[in-house]
Amino acid sequence: MNNANPLLHYEQLIDYARVRIEHLQPAIEQIIADNHSAIDAIIVQQRKLPTWDDLVLAVDALDARLNNTLYSIAPLLLRGGDWQQAASKCWDLAQAYFLQKLQNAELLDLYQRLADSPYGLNLDWQSKTALQRILKSYRLAGAHLAVDQREKLQVLEQQINDGQSTFYDNLTRSSDNWSVHIVDEQRLRGVPLHNRNAMAAAAQAQALDGWLILLEEAAYLAVIEHAHDRDLREQVYRAYQRRGASPAPDFDNGQVFQALANARQEKAQLLGFDNFIRFNLQRREGVSAEQVRAFLADLTRQIQPGLQQEHQQLQDFARQQGLPQVEPWDVAYLRKQLRNTPLSLSEDEVRACFSLDTVVKALVDFARQLFGVVLTEDHSISTWDPDVRAFEVVQDHALLGYLYIDAIGRDGKQADSAWTYYAWNRHIDAEGRYHKAAAALFTSIVPAQGDAAPLLSHLDLRKVFHEFGHCLHHLLVRTSNYHLSDVQNLGPGGVEIAGKLLERWCWSAEYLASISSHNLTGEPLSVQALQTYLGQLQAQEQPKLAVELAKSLFDLDLHGKPDDGRSVLQRVADSFDRAGAWPLADFERPLHAFDHLTAGYEAGYFGYLWADVYAFDLFSRFEQEGLLNQATGRELQEALFAPGAAQSVQVGIEEFLKRPSSAAPFLRWYDLTPS
């Protein structure tokens, strides 16, 4: 082993100060070569009598070594340029290795023989559960197929990978090639100050005077919700709603989605499934296709009356404002104007009370108060960027693992993005050694100007708390098995439940007031002022729910029958119509930038809505017993987080609630009609 390569010490935190580009690919290639040799040896040694330690735990250790290194490399993608190219190559090599491993028919045979043996039949229930998950993963990867079928599957996987890369290339190209240069500040009347400052910084970065509007979520929302200049709203709206769209088929993400859906359908059928939806739900478990469709159909019925009323209300308000025809770029602006009052808090006033330091302290306090988890910042831990903060995670005097918080936007990060890396899985190996968990939280908060602190909007807060929920879920798992500690093995709704739950605290005026602190004076916001502000935001959530519903309907429509002759545009229009969203104009391509369908949520986007329903119900117990009641928090951990993927989320929810789950809190909050 080349000990000079810092990436080859996978059981230790990486010393990023020592990592060079030339370390990346050699490290992954060496680990893959070592793993191939080890697997060959395992197959020979286990042919006579497969055992848990020398088969299951031995292969798990190989997976852990590669995954730990890969997820240590993954943040280096954000450095862009040669770093991004090298890290991407590592990712491709690792994914190819894992696919090849999962298609190894000899390994599948050994796992099956172990499961069927007297030894396997007498394993404890968690080990049996893990073994069944392993068997399923091999079958869903095609290990049981004939050689020619496995080769065909590999071709389809490559087509899917290429299509996903093309999607991002098209999205990046269409976004990067568009901007609006403003020299007359009057055109920005109504836009919050912090957004204008960000636009000014964007202009300065390109040696321009005035302000530059880029195709980023924050700038887009600032203009269409606040700008009094209707022409500017139209200009920005038209561009944003056509991201990823092009008259050239090769550059149009509608064509990419169709090709991806066709390849996924062929893959699913090759593996014995009617369609990709059934394959995906089998892969990640949780619910059936019929349950999902019934859930979305029920939500569609419930949302219609309120949306129809809201549409009429906006039309009436527009006429009162002298606007006879409501265009798509008027809708968000009218919603804001309709609900604004002279005493309302502005977005700038809210942001001023949530600096990044204030919010990180709130996260630390939240974990301590609710779960008894102590997050201690450790400045000796090396990170991939100076803005990244690293914490040791301790509960009941035991070191659980590590948390990285990479919150501030910078070159290389996609603007407005937020995600979590489940870097290390907690497990105990064959020698009885405990391996800690690690998670990394990423958001793209607008950097501060000069010496000022980065400030968070309410949307930023929700994103941070959502990703922190994912991290806590991962860090608070208590299983000892590598597979069962991976919360990504939960169903589409299960993997989102913790993130959606923690968002609920961001809608509590009482909680937000308790953590607020003006960045200059230290004064908190009042509960009453926040109640008014949050009430105005809440009134605008039902139309956003309709868009989320439309996305879920489109996802299932596309992956249910991709070859039924309907175009992507027809499917999008049908989905928005069924969801009751504001009617689409001919030029709109709202889902050509729907990147979740190339990031692991294809045929599973409904999980966000599914998890949201449960999150409201779970949160109702904290509303009754105390928002930071540690006894309630510990019960949540034991019922829902600690089991990891060893039991279904539904079981944990009902165990925590001590009753069957209910959609009533969700429906009340959104002012929907129960069916």
Side-chain angles (χ1 to χ4, degrees), residues 444-464:
S444 299
I445 296 161
V446 177
Q449 303 299 315
D451 295 330
L455 302 176
L456 281 71
S457 67
H458 189 258
L459 178 58
D460 291 329
L461 279 171
R462 293 182 343 240
K463 288 180 179 180
V464 169

Side-chain angles (χ1 to χ4, degrees), residues 192-440:
L193 177 61
H194 71 275
N195 294 115
R196 281 181 279 144
N197 289 341
M199 293 169 187
Q204 291 169 11
Q206 298 193 24
L208 297 172
D209 294 330
W211 301 263
L212 195 66
I213 302 173
L214 305 176
L215 276 191
E216 298 172 354
E217 182 185 38
Y220 165 74
L221 292 175
V223 171
I224 67 158
E225 291 183 350
H226 299 281
H228 301 324
D229 187 325
R230 195 183 187 203
D231 291 338
L232 180 61
R233 294 203 308 269
E234 178 181 0
Q235 189 176 4
V236 172
Y237 186 90
R238 283 181 177 273
Y240 195 83
Q241 295 297 330
R242 288 191 59 82
R243 291 174 304 145
S246 172
D250 290 346
F251 297 148
D252 185 76
N253 279 346
Q255 302 293 328
V256 174
F257 274 152
Q258 186 62 59
L260 280 171
N262 291 340
R264 290 167 180 156
Q265 174 83 346
E266 191 173 351
K267 170 185 172 179
Q269 291 177 341
L270 187 61
L271 290 166
F273 295 89
D274 294 342
N275 55 51
F276 185 74
I277 297 172
R278 295 189 185 281
F279 164 80
N280 198 49
L281 292 178
Q282 180 72 13
R283 180 171 64 93
R284 300 184 69 182
E285 294 189 354
V287 292
S288 69
E290 290 73 24
Q291 287 175 303
V292 172
R293 289 195 173 95
F295 165 72
L296 294 179
D298 197 33
L299 185 54
T300 300
R301 286 192 296 273
Q302 291 160 341
I303 201 173
Q304 295 301 324
L307 288 173
Q308 292 170 6
Q309 182 179 0
E310 197 256 0
H311 291 178
Q312 186 59 55
Q313 189 179 32
L314 279 188
Q315 295 281 8
D316 293 343
F317 180 68
R319 282 192 289 270
Q320 294 170 15
Q321 304 301 306
L323 195 66
Q325 177 64 39
V326 178
E327 299 291 352
W329 47 87
D330 298 321
V331 175
Y333 176 77
L334 289 172
R335 283 179 180 140
K336 279 285 186 184
Q337 295 298 311
L338 177 62
R339 294 174 176 88
N340 275 346
T341 67
L343 298 179
S344 299
L345 287 170
S346 70
E347 293 194 13
D348 285 321
E349 289 172 320
V350 173
R351 287 180 78 256
C353 294
F354 295 100
S355 70
L356 181 57
D357 284 343
T358 296
V359 173
V360 171
K361 180 182 181 302
L363 297 178
V364 171
D365 290 343
F366 183 93
R368 176 182 54 80
Q369 292 175 283
L370 203 61
F371 299 108
V373 169
V374 179
L375 299 177
T376 303
E377 188 162 11
D378 188 340
H379 297 284
S380 71
I381 296 176
S382 178
T383 62
W384 51 88
D385 186 89
D387 286 333
V388 179
R389 301 171 69 168
F391 297 81
E392 283 192 341
V393 183
V394 173
Q395 188 181 47
D396 300 329
H397 307 291
L399 177 62
L400 305 184
Y402 305 94
L403 170 68
Y404 295 92
I405 297 180
D406 186 349
I408 301 174
R410 60 180 180 273
D411 289 343
K413 271 190 183 181
Q414 182 182 343
D416 315 308
S417 59
W419 71 99
T420 294
Y421 280 148
Y422 305 105
W424 296 356
N425 288 357
R426 164 197 169 100
H427 64 286
I428 297 174
D429 64 22
E431 283 72 44
R433 292 178 301 173
Y434 168 64
H435 295 258
K436 297 176 283 293

Side-chain angles (χ1 to χ4, degrees), residues 19-296:
V19 176
R20 303 290 179 264
I21 291 179
E22 56 267 24
H23 290 142
L24 274 59
Q25 189 169 332
I28 293 297
E29 288 176 339
Q30 180 170 330
I31 293 170
I32 289 174
D34 292 346
N35 281 11
H36 278 306
S37 297
I39 285 175
D40 289 342
I42 289 169
I43 290 172
V44 171
Q45 295 163 3
Q46 292 288 290
R47 277 193 181 124
K48 187 175 181 180
L49 182 65
T51 65
W52 176 261
D53 283 4
D54 294 330
L55 173 62
V56 178
L57 296 188
V59 176
D60 285 355
L62 301 178
D63 288 351
R65 183 187 179 200
L66 181 53
N67 270 325
N68 286 11
T69 308
L70 182 64
Y71 279 101
S72 296
I73 289 172
L76 303 178
L77 285 161
L78 303 177
R79 292 182 176 176
D82 292 340
W83 283 96
Q84 182 181 30
Q85 185 175 356
S88 295
K89 179 63 176 177
C90 292
W91 191 267
D92 292 342
L93 289 170
Q95 297 314 305
Y97 162 80
F98 280 121
L99 178 60
Q100 185 179 1
K101 188 206 79 169
L102 288 171
Q103 291 184 344
N104 189 316
E106 290 183 290
L107 274 179
L108 172 60
D109 179 65
L110 291 177
Y111 282 117
Q112 189 62 64
R113 285 172 52 205
L114 172 60
D116 295 339
S117 70
Y119 177 78
L121 294 173
N122 283 291
L123 290 169
D124 63 86
W125 73 270
Q126 284 203 11
S127 298
K128 286 182 179 178
T129 300
L131 187 51
Q132 289 306 311
R133 283 191 175 277
I134 293 169
L135 285 168
K136 179 182 289 187
S137 68
Y138 276 77
R139 293 194 181 97
L140 292 177
H144 62 294
L145 299 177
V147 174
D148 61 330
Q149 291 177 309
R150 291 204 299 271
E151 291 174 350
K152 174 61 176 174
L153 196 57
Q154 289 174 358
V155 171
L156 290 170
E157 292 286 3
Q158 189 59 54
Q159 289 178 10
I160 292 169
N161 289 338
D162 291 345
Q164 292 175 164
S165 296
T166 300
F167 172 90
Y168 283 105
D169 289 344
N170 291 343
L171 183 56
T172 300
R173 184 185 302 107
S174 64
S175 298
D176 290 352
N177 291 342
W178 186 95
S179 62
V180 176
H181 183 208
I182 303 291
V183 293
D184 179 5
E185 191 172 10
Q186 283 297 105
R187 297 202 68 194
L188 295 175
R189 281 190 312 116
V191 174
L193 177 61
H194 71 275
N195 294 115
R196 281 181 279 144
N197 289 341
M199 293 169 187
Q204 291 169 11
Q206 298 193 24
L208 297 172
D209 294 330
W211 301 263
L212 195 66
I213 302 173
L214 305 176
L215 276 191
E216 298 172 354
E217 182 185 38
Y220 165 74
L221 292 175
V223 171
I224 67 158
E225 291 183 350
H226 299 281
H228 301 324
D229 187 325
R230 195 183 187 203
D231 291 338
L232 180 61
R233 294 203 308 269
E234 178 181 0
Q235 189 176 4
V236 172
Y237 186 90
R238 283 181 177 273
Y240 195 83
Q241 295 297 330
R242 288 191 59 82
R243 291 174 304 145
S246 172
D250 290 346
F251 297 148
D252 185 76
N253 279 346
Q255 302 293 328
V256 174
F257 274 152
Q258 186 62 59
L260 280 171
N262 291 340
R264 290 167 180 156
Q265 174 83 346
E266 191 173 351
K267 170 185 172 179
Q269 291 177 341
L270 187 61
L271 290 166
F273 295 89
D274 294 342
N275 55 51
F276 185 74
I277 297 172
R278 295 189 185 281
F279 164 80
N280 198 49
L281 292 178
Q282 180 72 13
R283 180 171 64 93
R284 300 184 69 182
E285 294 189 354
V287 292
S288 69
E290 290 73 24
Q291 287 175 303
V292 172
R293 289 195 173 95
F295 165 72
L296 294 179

